[in-house]
Amino acid sequence: MGTRLEAEVHIVTSAKTIIQNIRATIQRADYSLDGVMLKTLAQTQSVCHQDEMDLGSILIDLGAGTTDVLVLINGAPISTASVPVGGNLVTNDIAVVTGIPSSVAEKIKIESGCCWLPNITAENDQEVILPGVGGRAPEVIMQSQLCQIIQARMEQIFTMVKSAIIKNTNDSIKQLSGNIILTGGGAMMDGVVNLAQNVFKTSSVRLGVPENLGGIEEDYRRPDFATVIGLVLANKSLAQKRDSRKRVKSHSAKKDKASGNESVLKKILKSFF
């Protein structure tokens, strides 16, 4: 018997208008909304192993507009954070420095982007063609020059993430002995793991690739699909739990009914014999 119940919880809140907008958008597409879930928490369903969650790990989602962080210890989240910088800022840096439109800069970032200069040597340094704008002739820069632009901004993002983690977790960060897991579109850039290892001063950094769910196609096994795969797996897990509860209740109801019928039958038999 107990007289007191305590629990340590981490509460994540969201603006009501954001949830309403999501619900309205989905309903207009003729779909229904099962629920709302924090995207980094959903990603743990698809890219995190149980031992990583128990040992203490950091999940970093390198998105376009924001970089979101989830810190896990003993299998549960203890801290969340969102840094208001992301891949769009990298694209903007390329556009400003090279004088090309943002749409072209985004394409060049995806096709030729690298954020770790030591990966580019004199032998593999390639030319990157910048299309001309307004009648201007196309220009050529080396991939190493492009990398210098990207690396400076990506290093700043990781530094801001590190500061946010230290601020939110206090002494708990010393308990982290798992991995740093990188997800999102920004995690697909060449050299991102090396840069994260350099900023966080650890070799325990890996890409968050969703697990193999079977089937012929495996295009979904990429860091930028971590959220959507995680949402599917999380919903499946919740559905299984709901079905399990229903079966338990149904079995219990049948057992109670059978027990009640048996007691009535005994009463009838006793009345005659």
Side-chain angles (χ1 to χ4, degrees), residues 42-245:
Q43 289 176 2
T44 61
Q45 302 287 321
S46 61
V47 301
C48 290
H49 304 294
Q50 188 60 46
D51 55 348
E52 289 178 318
M53 297 171 66
D54 293 337
L55 290 171
S57 298
I58 302 172
L59 189 144
I60 302 175
D61 177 27
L62 298 164
T66 61
T67 299
D68 301 300
V69 187
L70 180 71
V71 182
L72 298 153
I73 292 181
N74 296 327
I78 66 163
S79 174
T80 53
S82 182
V83 179
V85 289
N88 288 344
L89 208 57
V90 177
T91 302
N92 183 68
D93 288 346
I94 297 173
V96 170
V97 174
T98 59
I100 58 177
S102 296
S103 58
V104 179
E106 178 70 18
K107 182 179 179 182
I108 290 176
K109 182 185 74 173
I110 294 173
E111 294 178 352
S112 306
C114 175
C115 61
W116 186 241
L117 194 57
N119 283 357
I120 302 176
T121 61
E123 290 76 18
N124 63 9
D125 196 2
Q126 301 176 355
E127 293 183 345
V128 179
I129 300 176
L130 304 178
V133 179
R136 190 176 63 199
E139 298 179 11
V140 176
I141 65 170
M142 302 306 295
Q143 190 181 23
S144 56
Q145 295 175 278
L146 181 65
C147 181
Q148 290 176 356
I149 301 171
I150 297 174
Q151 181 174 336
R153 182 63 72 181
M154 291 296 295
E155 187 171 356
Q156 181 194 27
I157 292 174
F158 279 127
T159 302
M160 293 175 68
V161 168
K162 184 178 180 180
S163 299
I165 293 171
I166 294 173
K167 179 181 177 181
N168 293 343
T169 56
N170 297 323
D171 293 335
S172 299
I173 195 171
K174 298 177 181 178
Q175 304 177 34
L176 303 177
S177 54
N179 291 323
I180 295 175
I181 305 162
L182 306 178
T183 63
M188 300 178 66
M189 191 179 300
D190 184 30
V192 68
V193 172
N194 303 97
L195 182 59
Q197 289 174 339
N198 182 66
V199 173
F200 286 93
K201 307 302 179 185
T202 177
S203 59
S204 302
V205 181
R206 70 174 182 86
L207 294 180
V209 179
E211 62 183 46
N212 190 350
L213 302 177
I216 299 175
E217 298 292 336
E218 292 190 0
D219 292 342
Y220 61 88
R221 301 198 66 195
R222 300 186 334 194
D224 54 338
F225 279 99
T227 300
V228 66
I229 298 299
L231 287 171
V232 172
L233 294 175
N235 191 53
K236 179 183 177 182
S237 177
L238 290 173
Q240 290 175 342
K241 289 179 181 178
R242 286 194 295 265
D243 292 341
S244 178
R245 292 193 194 102

